[in-house]
Amino acid sequence: MLRRIGVESHLVMSRAAEITLGYESEMTADQVRALADHAHSVDNIAAPPASGSFRTLGMIVAPCSIRTMSEIASGVTTSLLTRAADVTLKERRRLVLMVRETPLHAGHLRTMLNLTEMGAVIAPPVPGFYARPQSLDDLVEHTAGRALDLFGLDCGTLRRWGESGGA
């Protein structure tokens, strides 16, 4: 979606993300990496996104595990993924965490509140059924489009509330 609108992308996939991808998608990690303009090893804490001087619009962590969310909230980072998220916060850039665990206990909710107070946006990947999705791809595209909206990016594919075909 970003390539279609001319926005450069940088991808960092955790090992858990690669494992989850294998369970939830027909795509391989290499195929996902090929979609990004730049793919960085999760272990490479010297990669550009680890530095505040590397200019970005912000960062989306999708999906965001409770472990990753908690590590970001603590500020004690152990990988490029969480270091880049920490840098995004310290530089006051947009950080969107698409936390998809459920149900949540009070500790999860407190962590989400702490992150929100630090400037992050907690945006669970909740489908917008008003867009009348016809496939799983429609749901994913709508959710991704809503996340990109948080950066002021419009891919032109999102059916919005009140538009023809919506509610």
Side-chain angles (χ1 to χ4, degrees), residues 25 33 35 46 55 60 66 70 78 99 125 136 160:
S25 174
R33 285 186 196 94
L35 295 172
R55 295 178 68 174
I60 299 172
I66 294 296
S70 299
T78 61
V99 179
L136 184 56
R160 299 177 184 284

mmCIF file of all heavy atoms in Angstrom, residues 25 33 35 46 55 60 66 70 78 99 125 136 160:
data_model
loop_
_atom_site.group_PDB
_atom_site.id
_atom_site.type_symbol
_atom_site.label_atom_id
_atom_site.label_comp_id
_atom_site.label_asym_id
_atom_site.label_seq_id
_atom_site.Cartn_x
_atom_site.Cartn_y
_atom_site.Cartn_z
ATOM 1 N N SER A 25 -0.615 -17.292 7.141
ATOM 2 C CA SER A 25 -0.564 -16.775 5.778
ATOM 3 C C SER A 25 0.090 -17.776 4.846
ATOM 4 O O SER A 25 0.856 -18.637 5.278
ATOM 5 C CB SER A 25 0.242 -15.461 5.776
ATOM 6 O OG SER A 25 0.442 -15.004 4.463
ATOM 7 N N ARG A 33 9.260 -9.582 3.128
ATOM 8 C CA ARG A 33 10.405 -8.664 3.057
ATOM 9 C C ARG A 33 10.506 -8.003 1.683
ATOM 10 O O ARG A 33 10.858 -6.829 1.582
ATOM 11 C CB ARG A 33 11.700 -9.407 3.373
ATOM 12 C CG ARG A 33 11.882 -9.721 4.828
ATOM 13 C CD ARG A 33 13.268 -10.345 5.088
ATOM 14 N NE ARG A 33 13.270 -10.972 6.381
ATOM 15 C CZ ARG A 33 13.001 -12.256 6.601
ATOM 16 N NH1 ARG A 33 12.763 -13.077 5.598
ATOM 17 N NH2 ARG A 33 12.989 -12.728 7.829
ATOM 18 N N LEU A 35 8.214 -7.006 -0.151
ATOM 19 C CA LEU A 35 7.227 -5.940 -0.280
ATOM 20 C C LEU A 35 7.747 -4.602 0.244
ATOM 21 O O LEU A 35 7.241 -3.547 -0.130
ATOM 22 C CB LEU A 35 5.942 -6.304 0.471
ATOM 23 C CG LEU A 35 5.167 -7.505 -0.064
ATOM 24 C CD1 LEU A 35 4.029 -7.855 0.896
ATOM 25 C CD2 LEU A 35 4.645 -7.235 -1.454
ATOM 26 N N ALA A 46 22.094 -1.450 14.849
ATOM 27 C CA ALA A 46 22.796 -0.336 14.205
ATOM 28 C C ALA A 46 22.098 0.093 12.914
ATOM 29 O O ALA A 46 22.572 0.998 12.232
ATOM 30 C CB ALA A 46 24.240 -0.729 13.912
ATOM 31 N N ARG A 55 15.167 10.062 9.735
ATOM 32 C CA ARG A 55 13.868 10.733 9.623
ATOM 33 C C ARG A 55 12.794 9.778 9.112
ATOM 34 O O ARG A 55 12.967 9.126 8.092
ATOM 35 C CB ARG A 55 13.997 11.936 8.726
ATOM 36 C CG ARG A 55 14.921 12.987 9.333
ATOM 37 C CD ARG A 55 15.105 14.149 8.455
ATOM 38 N NE ARG A 55 13.826 14.863 8.377
ATOM 39 C CZ ARG A 55 13.685 16.014 7.768
ATOM 40 N NH1 ARG A 55 14.695 16.596 7.196
ATOM 41 N NH2 ARG A 55 12.499 16.603 7.725
ATOM 42 N N ILE A 60 4.609 1.679 12.589
ATOM 43 C CA ILE A 60 3.474 0.810 12.911
ATOM 44 C C ILE A 60 4.036 -0.538 13.318
ATOM 45 O O ILE A 60 4.893 -1.090 12.621
ATOM 46 C CB ILE A 60 2.543 0.621 11.691
ATOM 47 C CG1 ILE A 60 1.949 1.951 11.235
ATOM 48 C CG2 ILE A 60 1.429 -0.382 12.009
ATOM 49 C CD1 ILE A 60 1.169 1.868 9.925
ATOM 50 N N ILE A 66 1.745 -8.700 23.132
ATOM 51 C CA ILE A 66 1.790 -8.125 24.477
ATOM 52 C C ILE A 66 3.243 -7.998 24.932
ATOM 53 O O ILE A 66 3.621 -7.014 25.562
ATOM 54 C CB ILE A 66 0.958 -8.983 25.463
ATOM 55 C CG1 ILE A 66 -0.529 -8.924 25.095
ATOM 56 C CG2 ILE A 66 1.193 -8.542 26.900
ATOM 57 C CD1 ILE A 66 -1.173 -7.556 25.210
ATOM 58 N N SER A 70 4.890 -4.505 25.920
ATOM 59 C CA SER A 70 5.430 -4.325 27.267
ATOM 60 C C SER A 70 6.885 -3.877 27.234
ATOM 61 O O SER A 70 7.307 -3.026 28.032
ATOM 62 C CB SER A 70 5.283 -5.622 28.056
ATOM 63 O OG SER A 70 3.917 -5.972 28.165
ATOM 64 N N THR A 78 15.403 -4.779 23.503
ATOM 65 C CA THR A 78 16.361 -5.860 23.246
ATOM 66 C C THR A 78 16.519 -6.188 21.765
ATOM 67 O O THR A 78 17.242 -7.115 21.431
ATOM 68 C CB THR A 78 15.929 -7.147 23.981
ATOM 69 O OG1 THR A 78 14.653 -7.550 23.489
ATOM 70 C CG2 THR A 78 15.875 -6.937 25.489
ATOM 71 N N VAL A 99 -2.213 -3.939 18.656
ATOM 72 C CA VAL A 99 -2.254 -5.030 19.629
ATOM 73 C C VAL A 99 -3.476 -5.885 19.335
ATOM 74 O O VAL A 99 -4.586 -5.376 19.228
ATOM 75 C CB VAL A 99 -2.308 -4.474 21.067
ATOM 76 C CG1 VAL A 99 -2.364 -5.600 22.078
ATOM 77 C CG2 VAL A 99 -1.113 -3.566 21.326
ATOM 78 N N PRO A 125 -6.425 -4.204 15.586
ATOM 79 C CA PRO A 125 -6.925 -4.447 14.224
ATOM 80 C C PRO A 125 -8.360 -4.967 14.239
ATOM 81 O O PRO A 125 -8.630 -6.136 14.017
ATOM 82 C CB PRO A 125 -5.939 -5.483 13.667
ATOM 83 C CG PRO A 125 -5.431 -6.190 14.875
ATOM 84 C CD PRO A 125 -5.425 -5.181 15.987
ATOM 85 N N LEU A 136 -11.247 -11.916 3.283
ATOM 86 C CA LEU A 136 -10.269 -11.647 4.327
ATOM 87 C C LEU A 136 -9.322 -10.533 3.870
ATOM 88 O O LEU A 136 -8.950 -9.658 4.651
ATOM 89 C CB LEU A 136 -9.496 -12.920 4.670
ATOM 90 C CG LEU A 136 -8.493 -12.817 5.807
ATOM 91 C CD1 LEU A 136 -9.148 -12.322 7.084
ATOM 92 C CD2 LEU A 136 -7.835 -14.169 6.043
ATOM 93 N N ARG A 160 -14.946 4.485 3.420
ATOM 94 C CA ARG A 160 -15.134 5.213 4.671
ATOM 95 C C ARG A 160 -16.612 5.275 5.064
ATOM 96 O O ARG A 160 -17.488 5.162 4.226
ATOM 97 C CB ARG A 160 -14.565 6.618 4.526
ATOM 98 C CG ARG A 160 -13.065 6.578 4.236
ATOM 99 C CD ARG A 160 -12.482 7.950 4.011
ATOM 100 N NE ARG A 160 -11.083 7.839 3.644
ATOM 101 C CZ ARG A 160 -10.114 7.571 4.502
ATOM 102 N NH1 ARG A 160 -10.370 7.391 5.762
ATOM 103 N NH2 ARG A 160 -8.870 7.480 4.076
#
